[in-house]
Amino acid sequence: MNNFQTISLKYLRASRTIETVLVSKVDLNKIFFVYNYEGNSFRVFKCKMDLLHFFQDKTESDFHFSTEDDLDQFLSTVKIAE
């Protein structure tokens, strides 16, 4: 099981945030970027460039979740040795 922690949180608006999340397991680490839209939509990006392209309507997120529990489950189990 992975450990994960928020290392940065930026507010775009009161109900919209971008979290930088460090996911780690043993000696492996990976950074994910999570766009939280009003607590109803969580979009996960593998790199900052993909996040920027999402806001420019050029791409979709790598992963999409409707609940924070689903997001936490994903972060707990995602492979980070990619």
Side-chain angles (χ1 to χ4, degrees):
M1 180 139 321
N2 300 332
N3 294 315
F4 58 93
Q5 66 182 35
T6 299
I7 56 175
S8 173
L9 177 64
K10 304 227 187 271
Y11 284 87
L12 304 177
R13 295 184 187 162
S15 60
R16 297 178 190 174
T17 61
I18 297 175
E19 289 181 68
T20 304
V21 178
L22 173 66
V23 179
S24 58
K25 184 174 185 175
V26 188
D27 290 334
L28 301 172
N29 296 311
K30 182 148 180 72
I31 298 286
F32 289 95
F33 301 92
V34 179
Y35 174 51
N36 176 351
Y37 180 83
E38 300 182 355
N40 298 316
S41 176
F42 301 89
R43 295 182 179 273
V44 180
F45 301 87
K46 293 180 181 178
C47 69
K48 195 178 283 189
M49 189 59 70
D50 289 346
L51 175 64
L52 294 173
H53 285 161
F54 172 77
F55 284 111
Q56 296 171 346
D57 292 326
K58 293 182 180 179
T59 187
E60 268 299 312
S61 58
D62 295 311
F63 306 96
H64 182 229
F65 303 98
S66 298
T67 69
E68 195 167 357
D69 288 340
D70 290 343
L71 171 63
D72 289 350
Q73 178 65 29
F74 167 77
L75 294 173
S76 295
T77 58
V78 66
K79 285 184 156 184
I80 57 176
E82 298 174 11

